[in-house]
Amino acid sequence: MLPLGMDYFKRLLEFVKMEREEDKNAYLAQTKSATIAERRNSGLAWYPIAIKGTELGRADYLTVEVERPSNTDIAHQFRFGVSVALFSNHNAANDRLEGSVTYVGGNRMKISLRTDELPDWARDGKLGVDLLFDDNTYDEMQQALKQAITLAEKKEKSRLIAILTGTAKPTFDKDQHTYLNPKLNAAQQQAVDKIIQSNELAIVHGPPGTGKTTTLVQAIKTLIKQNAQKILVIAPSNTAVDLLSEKLSEEGLNVLRVGNPAKVSERLMALTLDSKMQEHSGIKEIKRLKKQASEFKEMAHKYKRSFGRAEREQRKALFDEAYKIMKEVGNVEQYIIDDVVGRAQVIAATPVGANHYTVRNLEYHTVVIDEAGQALEPACWIPILKAQKVILAGDHCQLPPTIKSEAAAKGGLRLTLLEKCIALHPEAVTLLEVQYRMHELIMGYSSKVFYDNRLSAHASVAGHTLFASDGPLAFVDTAGCGFDEKIENVSISNPEEAALLFKHLTQLVEGLAGRLQSADFPSIAVISPYREQIIAMKELMLHSPTLMAYKDKIAVNTIDSFQGQERDIVYISMTRSNANGIIGFLSDIRRMNVAMTRARKKLVVVGDSATLSRLPFYANFIAYAEENGAYNSAWEYMDV
């Protein structure tokens, strides 16, 4: 019989294989017969692009900077580290060069191509960049799991692996000295103490608005102060990595952001390896050597294809000299990288970014995984195997990771490492209990259902509303109005519910406009779980002069896009309304927990109680609204 550790990881390997296959099939189905315009509109291609510059990079690979038209505002899926192909649309099947993205920001992208010079077709225009299937992420996850099997066999790191897989218990050093931090409340201080005292595992459960990031930053700062050792900080999304990187840097820590920030700000760019290398004293030598190598290559390229032996030897000598110089460039570059990495107190990256060539071989005392409730477990093992101690932070009561294979999800991939460890090791968990975002009435139902009524609203937010007589919560019931849902493009819409919501919103905005200066106008989110409903509501927004006057204050988008964000006012269009009481993925109540906890001062939920009440979660929410005088019938807003 296999030891439990090996068996555990072999199951995870099977799930990764299933997920990879499903993901690849979906990618091929989307791209196989798609035109360049369709790929561009799906965010899978940039076209047309222009080459803005080239330079020789690592291992004699050519780095190419490309730019798409500045008026292109189509969202795309390109990010640091993904595989891409530069192509010519004159002959896209044959004229292709593969590489990987080393930088993407705005309308510019840098690509490391697997060649040392551009082919002739690159000068003929009609160039584009295709996003290729992301094999690298799956390769890294599989490699980490195979490494975990080997470690389990050799009984190395076996204690940490045993704790995380549930066959041993974490231990705590209660004598470990902790610092009382005036910036933290009691629960946050308790979380920091547990992190300091833990020998292998500590968990910070941070419901919406409870200051999880603040807590983690202070804990990391304390760990570095005590141990003077490098800490690896991980989050599954670039946005979450950016937030932590910025906050840690503001506390005076030397942070190295490995990868590409999602938010391209000067402050964040200054934390990246590229930026720190540019400031290094050795960069002048690299620039000098690269210029020299480039000159030799240009001289070599001046020889025509038909030339004699002497010319051929001269060309070879010039190329040899260029390569010799580039080897020296590589040595100086490696020295600078080692120096920059060596000085960093915190390395911040996504799970796959933790294996970037610049930091791949580093070991850490502690790894912190933020937003662990959104991270696939196999991805978490990439950074975990580099550390002696793991801090998991997040909220498993909010959105889970996206999983494409239903079979893998049902088999167990849906369960995150955070959820497993909270269930296995309650002694390692600290719940942050005070939230600083919402009015207590907006918070109340979420606290009752998801957090055992343990949340409380801080005095600074508990009673804050838009104005004195305004209620912070409203459920507008469309039952009996005949607002039937419509199925369009495999998504759901409800045009009449959307129209009612915008009528309600317009009345509120008109009321606020009479009371507030433009600068004090509140921020508003209009959200729905359904893409087609979002499209319908964006259209309504465009045709409302009243609302368009405040368009910079009003965002219309899906629930998922607002995780981690907050607004003064949030409207939710539930959309579903049918005679059979079918609610589809509204039954994922964690998604609704996210939706209902984005609002600071006012939450308005619009939906059909007859359809929604088939699920106890919604029936109880409607009862909660009634108990608190927050129930309204849609008939109150209908034109008679």
Side-chain angles (χ1 to χ4, degrees):
M1 185 179 166
L2 287 164
L4 179 65
M6 292 169 65
D7 202 26
Y8 183 94
F9 293 113
K10 289 199 170 188
R11 272 176 59 80
L12 284 178
L13 266 171
E14 227 10 76
F15 295 151
V16 171
K17 186 180 173 186
M18 292 156 74
E19 180 70 0
R20 181 183 210 147
E21 199 171 316
E22 189 71 31
D23 196 6
K24 192 160 198 170
N25 288 340
Y27 170 83
L28 292 173
Q30 193 176 3
T31 58
K32 197 172 183 181
S33 57
T35 64
I36 182 64
E38 288 167 341
R39 297 200 305 278
R40 180 178 60 195
N41 291 338
S42 300
L44 300 173
W46 277 20
Y47 183 84
I49 56 101
I51 292 175
K52 306 307 288 184
T54 63
E55 67 169 15
L56 275 176
R58 193 172 179 80
D60 291 333
Y61 283 179
L62 189 70
T63 297
V64 178
E65 184 175 9
V66 305
E67 185 177 39
R68 62 177 179 165
S70 58
N71 60 352
T72 305
D73 57 359
I74 300 167
H76 63 81
Q77 298 177 39
F78 291 87
R79 64 184 190 280
F80 173 83
V82 296
S83 297
V84 295
L86 177 73
F87 67 88
S88 164
N89 213 29
H90 289 294
N91 186 354
N94 296 322
D95 294 346
R96 296 174 77 77
L97 259 180
E98 292 192 3
S100 60
V101 173
T102 59
Y103 169 80
V104 59
N107 291 309
R108 293 204 169 209
M109 177 160 41
K110 287 184 180 178
I111 306 164
S112 176
L113 294 169
R114 297 182 189 117
T115 183
D116 60 358
E117 59 181 313
L118 282 173
D120 291 341
W121 55 257
R123 299 179 185 89
D124 298 336
K126 285 200 170 183
L127 298 179
V129 183
D130 268 335
L131 182 69
L132 301 180
F133 180 70
D134 184 15
D135 273 312
N136 183 50
T137 295
Y138 290 103
D139 288 343
E140 293 287 6
M141 286 195 284
Q142 287 179 318
Q143 193 54 44
L145 296 173
K146 286 173 184 173
Q147 187 187 346
I149 290 171
T150 303
L151 291 171
E153 282 174 332
K154 293 180 178 177
K155 299 199 166 22
E156 290 177 32
K157 288 191 192 277
S158 55
R159 173 138 189 86
L160 183 58
I161 289 172
I163 289 165
L164 295 174
T165 56
T167 57
K169 286 286 180 187
T171 60
F172 300 86
D173 181 2
K174 295 292 171 68
D175 297 327
Q176 186 71 257
H177 178 63
T178 59
Y179 301 90
L180 196 63
N181 192 323
K183 294 181 180 179
L184 304 176
N185 64 40
Q188 291 170 335
Q189 182 67 53
Q190 187 186 339
V192 171
D193 292 350
K194 186 152 279 185
I195 287 169
I196 302 306
Q197 293 169 351
S198 68
N199 294 318
E200 309 91 1
L201 174 69
I203 300 166
V204 181
H205 183 185
T210 53
K212 172 175 60 67
T213 301
T214 300
T215 305
L216 285 181
V217 166
Q218 295 306 317
I220 290 164
K221 196 176 172 186
T222 307
L223 280 169
I224 288 170
K225 190 175 180 182
Q226 285 193 339
N227 298 324
Q229 291 181 351
K230 222 181 287 294
I231 289 180
L232 177 60
V233 172
I234 296 294
S237 73
N238 278 304
T239 307
V241 179
D242 292 349
L243 177 63
L244 264 175
S245 299
E246 207 160 2
K247 297 293 183 189
L248 288 163
S249 177
E250 284 169 6
E251 288 288 328
L253 295 175
N254 185 331
V255 180
L256 176 61
R257 169 69 165 95
V258 176
N260 220 167
K263 189 178 94 185
V264 185
S265 67
E266 275 186 42
R267 183 190 289 272
L268 271 168
M269 287 308 296
L271 305 180
T272 63
L273 183 66
D274 279 355
S275 178
K276 287 177 185 271
M277 285 179 74
Q278 290 305 315
E279 291 171 8
H280 197 278
S281 57
I283 201 68
K284 284 181 183 174
E285 177 65 3
I286 283 182
K287 285 179 178 173
R288 186 187 69 78
L289 288 167
K290 278 188 175 179
K291 187 182 176 190
Q292 205 176 344
S294 184
E295 285 168 359
F296 278 119
K297 283 206 152 197
E298 277 176 28
M299 287 163 66
H301 284 305
K302 282 176 185 173
Y303 289 97
K304 305 297 178 189
R305 286 196 176 90
S306 53
F307 44 73
R309 183 179 171 188
E311 287 87 356
R312 201 161 40 245
E313 286 177 357
Q314 183 63 20
R315 176 183 165 97
K316 184 180 181 301
L318 287 166
F319 272 129
D320 286 347
E321 194 58 35
Y323 285 131
K324 202 162 88 179
I325 294 167
M326 284 310 296
K327 197 171 180 183
E328 181 59 24
V329 167
N331 293 336
V332 178
E333 222 165 48
Q334 194 57 54
Y335 161 74
I336 295 174
I337 289 168
D338 291 344
D339 192 38
V340 168
V341 171
R343 291 169 190 264
Q345 295 169 295
V346 176
I347 306 289
T350 59
V352 173
N355 255 3
H356 187 252
Y357 76 89
T358 53
V359 294
R360 179 180 281 274
N361 298 320
L362 289 185
E363 293 280 325
Y364 306 86
H365 181 270
T366 303
V367 60
V368 177
I369 304 179
D370 192 18
E371 302 296 357
Q374 281 193 281
L376 284 175
E377 181 179 351
C380 290
W381 285 99
I382 300 168
I384 285 171
L385 295 178
K386 299 174 183 293
Q388 301 167 36
K389 170 172 162 176
V390 178
I391 313 303
L392 297 175
D395 183 12
H396 57 295
C397 302
Q398 294 188 62
L399 285 175
T402 302
I403 299 172
K404 295 181 174 70
S405 167
E406 191 55 36
K410 284 179 179 173
L413 190 59
R414 182 181 283 127
L415 201 61
T416 62
L417 190 62
L418 178 70
E419 289 173 90
K420 288 179 184 177
C421 288
I422 284 175
L424 288 166
H425 308 301
E427 70 278 19
V429 181
T430 307
L431 175 72
L432 303 182
E433 297 175 339
V434 182
Q435 65 83 18
Y436 297 83
R437 175 184 297 166
M438 297 162 267
H439 187 285
E440 59 189 357
L441 205 57
I442 299 172
M443 174 205 75
Y445 187 64
S446 178
S447 177
K448 180 181 176 183
V449 174
F450 296 100
Y451 309 108
D452 298 324
N453 261 336
R454 288 175 64 188
L455 293 192
S456 63
H458 189 263
S460 61
V461 301
H464 70 175
T465 54
L466 294 170
F467 46 87
S469 60
D470 186 61
L473 179 67
F475 175 72
V476 181
D477 190 359
T478 66
C481 294
F483 292 178
D484 293 333
E485 65 187 53
K486 292 174 174 53
I487 300 175
E488 300 174 58
N489 302 323
V490 203
S491 186
I492 312 285
S493 71
N494 192 323
E496 290 161 310
E497 180 179 293
L500 177 81
L501 183 152
F502 269 80
K503 185 173 186 179
H504 190 285
L505 173 60
T506 302
Q507 287 177 5
L508 178 66
V509 166
E510 285 171 345
L512 290 170
R515 293 168 176 264
L516 301 170
Q517 296 292 320
S518 182
D520 300 323
F521 199 82
S523 57
I524 301 171
V526 181
I527 60 181
S528 170
Y530 294 97
R531 183 174 50 82
E532 283 299 321
Q533 188 71 342
I534 295 300
I535 292 168
M537 293 195 296
K538 283 184 174 178
E539 191 65 26
L540 285 169
M541 173 85 180
L542 288 171
H543 290 90
S544 168
T546 301
L547 299 181
M548 286 303 286
Y550 298 96
K551 65 180 180 180
D552 58 326
K553 297 281 190 175
I554 305 172
V556 183
N557 217 327
T558 59
I559 291 170
D560 296 32
S561 69
F562 279 100
Q563 171 135 335
Q565 298 186 46
E566 56 189 73
R567 297 289 190 275
D568 293 315
I569 304 164
V570 172
Y571 274 76
I572 308 173
S573 172
M574 302 301 288
T575 308
R576 301 308 299 256
S577 179
N578 56 74
N580 301 317
I582 298 167
I583 60 170
F585 64 63
L586 287 188
S587 57
D588 182 357
I589 60 173
R590 290 187 293 184
R591 180 172 270 105
M592 290 315 299
N593 185 34
V594 171
M596 291 174 172
T597 54
R598 300 306 96 198
R600 297 186 194 107
K601 299 178 180 179
K602 190 176 185 71
L603 171 66
V604 180
V605 181
V606 183
D608 179 352
S609 64
T611 299
L612 296 173
S613 291
R614 303 289 180 97
L615 195 72
F617 173 82
Y618 295 110
N620 293 335
F621 171 71
I622 293 163
Y624 175 81
E626 285 181 309
E627 287 162 18
N628 289 283
Y631 175 89
N632 305 106
S633 169
W635 290 102
E636 297 171 34
Y637 305 97
M638 303 275 275
D639 292 322
V640 181

